[in-house]
Amino acid sequence: MGDAHTTIAELREMVRTFAAERRWEPFHSPKNIAMALAVEAAELMEPMMWIEADASRAIAHDPERRHHLGEEIADVFNLLLNLCNSLNIDLSDAFRAKIVKNAVKYPPPAGA
Ligand SMILES: [Mg+2]
């Protein structure tokens, strides 16, 4: 397994199944999921609050803190996929469209 061998569709189905098995769908309105996503994003930021940029980069070489951030990233991604399921948004299509829009908005510097 791993990113190279996992599709977004597989992960979305895992999120859908997890919620369905626990009968959580009634609580998963887009509003509630978006709010939970913001909370999880804050949990991701908390370990890096008040430290310098280089110290945040050093987390990549600290197995325990890196593991913790991986868990928080997974929480954020879980809710992002849940939100896509709830709103019937194709994440890959939305992502590609936004990258194209960003490329127009932020062209590479001349000579790059
Ligand atoms: Mg969390």
Side-chain angles (χ1 to χ4, degrees):
M1 305 302 275
D3 288 349
H5 304 285
T6 306
T7 68
I8 297 289
E10 290 169 341
L11 297 177
R12 286 180 68 154
E13 186 54 35
M14 288 176 68
V15 169
R16 187 186 328 273
T17 300
F18 189 90
E21 288 174 346
R22 288 155 184 79
R23 298 186 174 95
W24 285 352
E25 297 101 326
F27 309 104
H28 287 177
S29 66
K31 175 195 75 75
N32 285 349
I33 299 167
M35 292 176 74
L37 177 58
V39 170
E40 292 297 344
E43 289 181 6
L44 175 60
M45 289 187 288
E46 195 276 335
M48 296 182 276
M49 190 167 59
W50 308 122
I51 65 175
E52 298 296 328
D54 283 345
S56 70
R57 291 185 183 98
I59 292 173
H61 309 291
D62 179 331
E64 188 174 323
R65 293 194 304 158
R66 186 169 169 265
H67 176 78
H68 176 70
L69 286 189
E71 288 190 332
E72 297 303 343
I73 289 168
D75 285 342
V76 168
F77 194 55
N78 183 329
L79 287 158
L80 198 60
L81 295 175
N82 198 337
L83 190 56
C84 288
N85 286 345
S86 179
L87 293 171
N88 195 28
I89 290 173
D90 188 294
L91 179 58
S92 298
D93 288 347
F95 182 86
R96 287 190 178 93
K98 188 63 180 187
I99 284 285
V100 169
K101 189 174 181 179
N102 286 346
V104 173
K105 187 175 181 180
Y106 307 106

